Amino acid sequence: MNLNPIENLALALLGGAVLLGLYRLLRGPSAVDRLVAADTLSVVITGAIVVVAWLFASALYLDVALVYGVLAFVGTVAMARALEGGRS
Amino acid sequence: METEKAEGLGRYLVVFTGALLFWLLLTGSLDSQELLAGLLASAVVAVMAAPRMGILSGIRWSPVLPLQVARYLGVFFLALLRSNFDMARRVLSPALPIRPALVEVKTSLQSDLGRLLLANSITLTPGTLTVDVEGERLLVHWIDASPGTDLESATRAIVSQFETHLREFLE
Amino acid sequence: MRLVGDLFLLLGSAFLFLGALGLVRMPDVFNRIQAGAKAATLGVLGVLVGIAFLQPGWWPKLLAIGLFILFTNPVGSSTLARAIRIAGVRPWQKPAEESRALEEKS
Amino acid sequence: MTEWLALILVVMMLAAALAVVLVPNLVGAIAASSAVSLVVAVIFVVLRAPDVAMTEAAVGAGLSAAVLGLGVRRLGLWKLNEGKKDDA
């Protein structure tokens, strides 16, 4: 598929967003920073999977994005619950 | 007793309709077999989930409900767009102009659903983040609490902006 | 059609990038959540609208994904912020000069 | 193009996996492990295996974070060292 410059720029920005999120996840000074980075990264990746589905022109991949969005939320809430109960 | 029963029946209907709409969005086809499966699945979901959906009881049903929801969504999206440009300005300016503070506000919305939507709206408006909801008090993290501004009234302005729209269709 | 979709796609990815940049640049956890939650929500919505213009047949599923993100992302961020506050982390309220020095050091 | 994308993604996955091993804090390690499964899901999408990607997204993003978080909390290993830096 031929991409025009606007789409190339958009894809580059999306990749940059993933890299910056990963930087905060690897570098994050404290554990909660990593949690926040993982949460934001999951949303960014949901968008990225939708874009990849468009690149491949196949609607099958949208299901992956949907399942991913739903279960990343479940994981975030579970970690938050554990964090709340973790205080002594 | 009679009215309570009617309301319970209405709740089953609401959950059933919502589940069916979601099914239609997911499958994206009006094929008769898929529609039949969707009807069955929605009925099962309604029977299982409706007694626990007490959060829906805050909605005030009326014929103009979709109009009010649409107006609220319009205000909400405008605020979301404004907050993103605000955040982009803050992130891109080299001096990083932020002065965070925690502020407490009161809301007059009684229902759980109303408080949930209000907290969501506050999270997505310029410079604020809902940290906690305890009864009718909301704990808000404010990103730009400059010393000059009156924090209480500024926060109340943000809250009332959404409250007036939410109160039209929620308890 | 394709140009409108491209513009929405570009806008959405630009906001996602700015949100991730805010995640890196902000000095403490609550500000990071704030930058992440807002920018990621609008960014993903922009990307979804752009794809809906580029592939018009996909709009029902894209709408489902968009609704889900719109409702769950702020809830997840707020829950995380609440848990972090309960776990004992407090936002700093120092003057800007000290905070900038602290940020450069880290 | 797909090969290069997959290669970049594999490097990212390895970085996150190294973070899982090297981060001393268990909460941060769980966040990093959820990031690993996140990138693995994208790799499966790029390699055109949507069903595997969906399973990976479901198990990796949601359930493993929830199970690991609750397990660590139940074991009493849940500590947040906010003050100190735990650089990987």
Side-chain angles (χ1 to χ4, degrees):
Chain A
M1 174 175 270
N2 291 320
L3 298 178
N4 58 24
I6 301 181
E7 290 158 359
N8 273 321
L9 182 60
L11 290 185
L13 282 174
L14 211 56
V18 174
L19 283 181
L20 284 176
L22 202 67
Y23 169 79
R24 177 50 76 197
L25 188 115
L26 296 181
R27 193 59 221 292
S30 71
V32 285
D33 285 319
R34 294 178 212 272
L35 279 182
V36 172
D39 179 37
T40 308
L41 204 55
S42 72
V43 180
V44 176
I45 294 257
T46 309
I49 291 178
V50 173
V51 173
V52 172
W54 166 66
L55 282 179
F56 289 170
S58 161
L60 272 178
Y61 299 94
L62 286 183
D63 294 333
V64 183
L66 189 68
V67 168
Y68 200 85
V70 173
L71 281 158
F73 171 67
V74 172
T76 302
V77 171
M79 286 303 283
R81 281 284 158 206
L83 208 57
E84 273 175 32
R87 72 193 195 280
S88 55
Chain B
M1 196 62 198
E2 193 66 25
T3 57
E4 205 167 89
K5 199 166 187 179
E7 190 185 313
L9 209 65
R11 195 182 290 166
Y12 279 101
L13 207 62
V14 170
V15 174
F16 177 74
T17 318
L20 191 61
L21 280 180
F22 197 64
W23 174 276
L24 285 180
L25 281 183
L26 279 182
T27 58
S29 74
L30 283 173
D31 187 55
S32 64
Q33 293 189 2
E34 287 194 2
L35 202 60
L36 189 66
L39 283 171
L40 275 177
S42 309
V44 171
V45 167
V47 167
M48 278 169 61
R52 303 198 183 98
M53 296 291 275
I55 196 169
L56 288 177
S57 62
I59 303 177
R60 208 178 292 154
W61 297 100
S62 68
V64 287
L65 181 75
L67 208 70
Q68 289 161 345
V69 173
R71 205 168 57 185
Y72 164 71
L73 278 180
V75 173
F76 171 73
F77 269 108
L78 267 181
L80 180 57
L81 211 59
R82 225 156 23 98
S83 87
N84 269 279
F85 282 114
D86 181 66
M87 185 55 74
R89 186 177 60 78
R90 280 181 210 287
V91 168
L92 285 179
S93 69
L96 217 62
I98 54 167
R99 272 155 195 272
L102 280 177
V103 190
E104 207 167 78
V105 252
K106 278 197 170 182
T107 173
S108 62
L109 289 170
Q110 295 298 317
S111 63
D112 285 343
L113 184 62
R115 283 174 188 157
L116 170 72
L117 285 180
L118 183 66
N120 266 5
S121 310
I122 288 175
T123 300
L124 294 175
T125 39
T128 50
L129 168 76
T130 314
V131 175
D132 207 346
V133 182
E134 292 163 352
E136 60 179 7
R137 288 176 307 143
L138 296 169
L139 201 61
V140 173
H141 179 259
W142 188 274
I143 200 171
D144 192 14
S146 302
T149 52
D150 182 7
L151 222 51
E152 289 286 321
S153 62
T155 317
R156 205 167 300 127
I158 289 270
V159 170
S160 65
Q161 170 198 354
F162 290 111
E163 241 179 15
T164 48
H165 287 279
L166 280 174
R167 202 175 300 123
E168 285 177 355
F169 61 96
L170 291 169
E171 294 287 329
Chain C
M1 199 70 156
R2 177 146 187 187
L3 189 67
V4 179
D6 282 352
L7 285 180
F8 271 108
L9 190 60
L10 182 65
L11 201 70
S13 358
F15 277 126
L16 280 179
F17 182 77
L18 285 173
L21 194 65
L23 202 65
V24 170
R25 282 203 68 195
M26 288 295 178
D28 88 324
V29 182
F30 290 97
N31 293 312
R32 283 176 193 147
I33 294 179
Q34 195 159 146
K38 291 188 221 304
T41 311
L42 189 67
V44 171
L45 286 183
V47 169
L48 291 176
V49 171
I51 300 293
F53 270 109
L54 290 170
Q55 290 270 1
W58 288 3
W59 70 267
K61 208 167 269 186
L62 290 174
L63 180 63
I65 299 175
L67 279 179
F68 218 89
I69 297 267
L70 186 62
F71 277 110
T72 56
N73 200 27
V75 173
S77 299
S78 287
T79 318
L80 209 53
R82 174 163 181 261
I84 287 171
R85 185 175 157 276
I86 287 178
V89 182
R90 290 283 177 272
W92 52 247
Q93 300 173 346
K94 289 170 191 165
E97 287 76 18
E98 274 180 55
S99 68
R100 218 171 293 144
L102 201 83
E103 193 209 359
E104 275 163 14
K105 209 171 59 184
S106 67
Chain D
M1 180 205 151
T2 308
E3 289 85 1
W4 286 106
L5 201 55
L7 197 61
I8 295 171
L9 285 168
V10 165
V11 170
M12 283 164 65
M13 182 197 84
L14 284 179
L18 273 180
V20 176
V21 182
L22 294 179
V23 170
N25 191 324
L26 283 176
V27 183
I30 294 172
S33 85
S34 87
V36 172
S37 67
L38 194 142
V39 182
V40 171
V42 181
I43 290 177
F44 283 138
V45 166
V46 169
L47 295 180
R48 304 188 184 230
D51 43 355
V52 188
M54 206 188 299
T55 315
E56 174 65 38
V59 175
L63 296 180
S64 80
V67 169
L68 282 176
L70 294 176
V72 167
R73 181 188 143 202
R74 184 64 57 86
L75 285 174
L77 297 172
W78 194 276
K79 288 191 198 76
L80 288 176
N81 49 349
E82 327 116 27
K84 288 171 286 183
K85 308 257 187 299
D86 58 355
D87 277 347

